[in-house]
Amino acid sequence: MQNWAGNLEYSSAEVHRPTSVEELQDLVANASRIKALGSRHSFNTVADTDGIHILLDSLPQEIVVDVARSTVKVSGGISYGALGRALEEQGYAIHNLASLPHISVAGAIQTGTHGSGVNNPSLAAAVVGVELVRASGELVTLSADDDAFLASVVGVGALGIVTGLELAIRPSYEVRQRVLTGLSWERALADFQGIASSAYSVSFFTDYTGDTIPQVWLKALDTEGALPDLFGATAATSAMHPLPDMSAENCTEQLDVAGKWLDRLPHFRHEFTPSNGEELQSEFLLPLDQAPAALQAVRGLSEKLAPLLFISEIRTVAADEFWLSPFYQQQSVALHFTWKPLQTEVEAVLPELEEALRPFGARPHWGKLFTPGQYDFAALYPRFEDFRALVQANDPSGKFRNGLLDSVLGVAVTS
Ligand SMILES: Cc1cc2nc3c(=O)[nH]c(=O)nc-3n(C[C@H](O)[C@H](O)[C@H](O)COP(=O)(O)OP(=O)(O)OC[C@H]3O[C@@H](n4cnc5c(N)ncnc54)[C@H](O)[C@@H]3O)c2cc1C
């Protein structure tokens, strides 16, 4: 089995598709190494194991709205695309979506996946309950009242196999999307927060060369009224793809045409399945107020980065409270890099980029390419030692561990 990008061949010895939670509990209890695999959209080895890989698609799949609680109960393996359609049919929505609807709900939440918007926290922020199978095989349901909740929601796969989640929902809403072209870097750096706050969700697309940011995508709630001023940029008059040479036919509708949240918040249409293996990704999250200085630092590397880049997307994410969330107590700017599929060259340039972002306290996206040795995770995450202690207590033999987790958390101490 490979990941979506095709840059990784998983090393699992066995793959199981349990048909009941009880079967999953038995598998976990008796395994020495085991991990859940979601929709395989991570670019690094975070989901890898040399033991058993669990696929959740044969478990009962449910999406059940609880009107009284304004929540939906969703099975872990379901994709955001399927969840979005089911919610919309019943007149509901969630607060935000990532750029792609095909990713699994559990896998996305475990790694802190996010969309954009200064007031929009990551997808994990919608979680009000999580049901998971611990390393012992015990099935537990955690809510905000439980100590382990804030550690387990964005658990990077280290604290259990998630079989179900309860997510906060809201009434369905409409969004209009407009693309601005040619925003000057001068204006963007002078008023980054103002521009990033000018619509519900804002994304800047650049390769850091030149004096202008080629595209800014503004996604405004239909209730927000007129879209903001253009900040000296130009409103596109035809639909655009973030990559200048690509057709916009697979992109969600733009030009201020209002549409349902699930058809506007992702950049790409749900019915379009992006081709596999043609890109790599990295992403670094740092305090929003550091954005201008950090962006200038990255611009200073543009000659090295641009030849390897398809595009970089700059987004914002509101703070949350999950211990290992890259947005833990930090309103953030997210610097995302979509690389050409040149892994050796990308891995060669990453440490220099990570070094440039280190002074700003950059935290790497758990599901994308980064260099673990570049980070002092205990300094970056105030609850890191608490997380490590919880992992040690719940999984003393390290059955959910792999090489990447060991390099982040330290090797499991087998008791
Ligand atoms: C084209 C593309 C676009 C993307 N866009 C965005 C974006 O807009 N924003 C963003 O933040 N990220 C984005 N990502 C990254 C992606 O959201 C993360 O890599 C996410 O983890 C993918 O979810 P998955 O189900 O594929 O997880 P996998 O890669 O399958 O697994 C990731 C981790 O989650 C764990 N996991 C999976 N399922 C479970 C479970 N049931 N219980 C416990 N642990 C589990 C795995 O063990 C592993 O540790 C994108 C990736 C791609 C390929």
Side-chain angles (χ1 to χ4, degrees):
M1 282 194 303
Q2 290 191 329
N3 64 343
W4 174 88
N7 66 320
L8 173 66
E9 192 90 33
Y10 293 113
S11 45
S12 41
E14 292 172 45
V15 178
H16 285 263
R17 288 188 144 99
T19 54
S20 68
V21 173
E22 293 76 20
E23 186 186 343
L24 172 62
Q25 289 178 265
D26 277 349
L27 282 163
V28 173
N30 294 311
S32 55
R33 287 275 203 175
I34 190 162
K35 277 199 93 60
L37 199 52
S39 49
R40 292 180 278 152
H41 282 91
S42 293
F43 293 86
N44 58 24
T45 54
V46 69
D48 204 11
T49 179
D50 54 13
I52 297 172
H53 255 146
I54 294 291
L55 302 181
L56 298 173
D57 51 0
S58 295
L59 286 172
Q61 305 288 302
E62 63 166 25
I63 301 175
V64 181
V65 169
D66 184 329
V67 175
R69 284 172 59 81
S70 287
T71 62
V72 60
K73 284 198 172 138
V74 56
S75 307
I78 281 173
S79 73
Y80 272 100
L83 172 63
R85 284 194 304 262
L87 286 178
E88 178 53 34
E89 273 168 22
Q90 297 174 69
Y92 292 101
I94 49 175
H95 73 285
N96 210 353
L97 288 169
S99 62
L100 187 80
H102 305 80
I103 49 180
S104 85
V105 173
I109 287 174
Q110 280 293 307
T111 56
T113 293
H114 61 92
S116 191
V118 288
N119 296 315
N120 289 326
S122 78
L123 303 181
V127 178
V128 297
V130 57
E131 179 191 86
L132 72 168
V133 177
R134 291 266 191 239
S136 61
E138 184 191 5
L139 181 70
V140 293
T141 303
L142 304 174
S143 64
D145 301 334
D146 296 293
D147 287 347
F149 177 77
L150 293 176
S152 304
V153 172
V154 182
V156 202
L159 280 170
I161 295 188
V162 175
T163 48
L165 291 145
E166 185 176 6
L167 307 177
I169 55 173
R170 58 180 68 177
S172 172
Y173 52 94
E174 298 217 329
V175 175
R176 289 171 294 133
Q177 183 162 233
R178 171 186 291 190
V179 176
L180 304 184
T181 61
L183 173 71
S184 79
W185 268 109
E186 192 182 355
R187 185 80 185 261
L189 294 173
D191 187 17
F192 183 81
Q193 288 200 35
I195 301 172
S197 308
S198 63
Y200 186 71
S201 165
V202 176
S203 292
F204 304 74
F205 289 96
T206 175
D207 67 0
Y208 299 99
T209 61
D211 297 328
T212 56
I213 295 178
Q215 294 183 28
V216 183
W217 288 38
L218 305 174
K219 298 172 194 274
L221 297 181
D222 203 32
T223 51
E224 275 179 294
L227 276 160
D229 96 62
L230 304 184
F231 310 106
T234 306
T237 51
S238 58
M240 304 200 65
H241 188 286
L243 295 179
D245 299 334
M246 298 283 285
S247 155
E249 67 178 326
N250 295 324
C251 295
T252 47
E253 191 159 354
Q254 302 159 24
L255 303 173
D256 293 341
V257 179
K260 293 295 179 191
W261 60 283
L262 72 172
D263 296 326
R264 294 293 181 277
L265 292 176
H267 304 325
F268 300 102
R269 294 175 192 270
H270 184 254
E271 58 274 23
F272 159 65
T273 304
S275 53
N276 292 5
E278 288 169 8
E279 66 182 67
L280 299 171
Q281 296 183 10
S282 301
E283 190 164 28
F284 306 99
L285 306 315
L286 45 108
L288 179 58
D289 60 5
Q290 300 291 323
L295 289 168
Q296 281 294 58
V298 179
R299 287 181 81 202
L301 295 174
S302 65
E303 279 186 23
K304 289 186 178 171
L305 301 178
L308 298 176
L309 269 180
F310 279 130
I311 201 71
S312 172
E313 180 179 5
I314 304 160
R315 291 177 277 187
T316 55
V317 188
D320 64 41
E321 294 292 330
F322 301 108
W323 296 359
L324 246 58
S325 163
F327 317 102
Y328 176 77
Q329 296 192 342
Q330 175 179 288
Q331 193 180 31
S332 302
V333 63
L335 309 186
H336 161 94
F337 299 82
T338 303
W339 308 107
K340 294 173 185 169
L342 301 167
Q343 182 133 1
T344 307
E345 293 84 344
V346 168
E347 284 180 347
V349 85
L350 269 178
E352 196 172 346
L353 174 59
E354 292 169 301
E355 194 57 42
L357 293 174
R358 189 209 297 269
F360 308 106
R363 299 165 172 168
H365 190 302
W366 294 120
K368 303 186 181 182
L369 294 179
F370 66 97
T371 319
Q374 289 279 334
Y375 298 91
D376 178 352
F377 290 103
L380 286 172
Y381 287 93
R383 300 300 301 267
F384 189 74
E385 292 305 335
D386 295 327
F387 185 85
R388 273 167 47 111
L390 197 65
V391 170
Q392 178 63 29
N394 278 279
D395 183 17
S397 67
K399 61 175 70 173
F400 294 134
R401 296 294 197 95
N402 56 26
L404 183 69
L405 280 178
D406 283 349
S407 64
V408 170
L409 299 174
V411 179
V413 184
T414 310
S415 53

